[in-house]
Amino acid sequence: MAVDLSVSWLGVNMENPLYNASGVMCRSREELDAVAASAAGALITKSCTLLPREGNPEPRYAKAPHGSINSMGLPNAGYQYYLDYAKAYDHQGGKPLFVSVSGMSLEDNLEMLAAFRDADLPCLVELNLSCPNLPGKPQIGYDFEASSHVLSEVVKVYHKPFGVKLPPYFDPVHFAEMASVLNSFPSLKYVTCINSVGNGLVIDLDSESVVIKPKGGLGGIGGDYVLPTALANVREFYRLLDDKHVIGCGGVKSGREAFMHILAGATAVQVGTCLYEEGAACFARIRDELAALMQEKGYATLADFRGKLKTM
């Protein structure tokens, strides 16, 4: 049986549902080109700020026994760099390109979004409401009133379909509250769940030390540690959102986890820690494993099982 991994959503046509998580392998043109040249179905830029940022002091990423910890602090080349990349990008012949925006203030976000609006490019914008690694900066996504205010201002200046990157939520009340906010904005067409689980602590027993420098060793957790949390967020937002897509992110290292994300409701799936550790070759491996698993289970398309998680 032939398996079709393609997915079409919001005018975007992907050969398969896999792409990089924003933050991994997407800071420079060279990295973005490497993802574009891989078996990924799309690519997304690093979350950009108004001006270039070096980010937090090194070391700011470490492998952990069941994943990773990072406190990058939004190192990026500044939004103009990614806008120029998007302008030069082959949108006709190339894979779909997403641009992630993460201003240090609402004003910064509005200025960047206005620039992307005026450029009128066929790329989808994702607004990051969830960076957990900026010392002294709270995650907007955990303040529902502030999220509503930000989105109200965003839709005044940005009129095209867009998405948001969300932090992980852990309480049914919070799922419902955030879904209610998001459902108020018809042009908000997708959410990416989840960003890393913020402010974890990994300790190296031999040296009796933290493993990253910023914030006294606190950082965002990714990899196997976050898979159940990511799946819960995907499933709950898939259930609660009206006419919006959910992009799954968290704990994907093989076709099995990609399948689980789609089963929970994900339209497409991002790869973070695994991409960081393995490089862009991981996309072909995960794609082939997903296809083999679908064949084994008798599914011909992603729609055959998307969102069809059974409950007891």
Side-chain angles (χ1 to χ4, degrees):
M1 181 185 71
V3 167
D4 179 8
L5 292 178
S6 68
V7 55
S8 296
W9 58 292
L10 302 184
V12 168
N13 299 308
M14 296 169 60
E15 287 182 7
N16 68 69
L18 306 170
Y19 62 117
N20 62 304
S22 179
V24 185
M25 210 167 172
C26 56
R27 186 176 169 186
S28 68
R29 284 187 183 90
E30 293 73 22
E31 287 181 329
L32 287 161
D33 286 347
V35 175
S38 76
L43 61 154
I44 186 168
T45 68
K46 177 75 185 164
S47 289
C48 60
T49 48
L50 199 59
L51 299 171
R53 278 177 62 85
E54 284 302 312
N56 291 339
E58 305 262 8
R60 56 195 184 187
Y61 174 94
K63 194 173 178 180
H66 303 287
S68 64
I69 183 170
N70 88 85
S71 182
M72 306 303 283
L74 293 180
N76 75 96
Y79 88 97
Q80 190 63 53
Y81 180 92
Y82 304 103
L83 181 56
D84 291 342
Y85 182 85
K87 284 178 178 174
Y89 187 74
D90 177 12
H91 294 279
Q92 289 304 107
K95 294 172 179 177
L97 173 67
F98 295 77
V99 175
S100 177
V101 171
S102 189
M104 304 300 283
S105 67
L106 173 58
E107 292 70 30
D108 286 3
N109 276 327
L110 297 179
E111 186 174 334
M112 290 187 283
L113 289 167
F116 281 102
R117 174 201 67 203
D118 294 344
D120 198 26
L121 298 164
C123 51
L124 281 169
V125 167
E126 178 173 292
L127 179 64
N128 184 358
L129 296 180
S130 56
C131 182
N133 300 320
L134 296 174
K137 282 269 183 194
Q139 294 187 56
I140 295 286
Y142 284 140
D143 183 331
F144 305 113
E145 207 173 303
S147 295
S148 184
H149 173 65
V150 165
L151 292 170
S152 297
E153 295 303 311
V154 163
V155 296
K156 288 177 190 171
V157 302
Y158 195 78
H159 311 123
K160 296 169 72 173
F162 71 103
V164 290
K165 175 85 169 269
L166 296 177
Y169 299 96
F170 304 94
D171 190 298
V173 174
H174 295 159
F175 288 125
E177 280 194 60
M178 193 57 179
S180 174
V181 168
L182 300 170
N183 279 332
S184 307
F185 300 95
S187 64
L188 196 166
K189 293 295 189 186
Y190 74 95
V191 299
T192 301
C193 301
I194 56 175
N195 210 325
S196 54
V197 175
N199 301 300
L201 183 64
V202 173
I203 293 173
D204 178 68
L205 206 53
D206 293 338
S207 62
E208 300 178 17
S209 168
V210 301
V211 296
I212 58 172
K213 186 172 184 177
K215 291 171 67 177
L218 297 183
I221 303 296
D224 294 353
Y225 295 112
V226 308
L227 178 64
T229 299
L231 293 173
N233 278 257
V234 168
R235 203 279 298 271
E236 289 307 287
F237 282 109
Y238 176 75
R239 203 170 60 78
L240 294 166
L241 292 177
D242 304 329
D243 193 30
K244 301 184 194 305
H245 294 272
V246 180
I247 307 306
C249 183
V252 177
K253 63 178 183 183
S254 76
R256 293 171 64 84
E257 296 81 29
F259 185 96
M260 289 181 210
H261 270 275
I262 297 163
L263 187 65
T267 295
V269 178
Q270 296 179 350
V271 185
T273 296
C274 174
L275 173 59
Y276 192 102
E277 293 295 337
E278 193 176 323
C282 74
F283 289 116
R285 177 181 62 75
I286 296 170
R287 176 201 63 196
D288 293 347
E289 289 169 355
L290 175 59
L293 185 57
M294 286 170 62
Q295 202 152 26
E296 190 184 309
K297 287 176 169 286
Y299 294 124
T301 71
L302 301 176
D304 289 347
F305 66 95
R306 179 180 293 114
K308 295 183 179 170
L309 179 66
K310 298 168 189 162
T311 54
M312 297 165 73

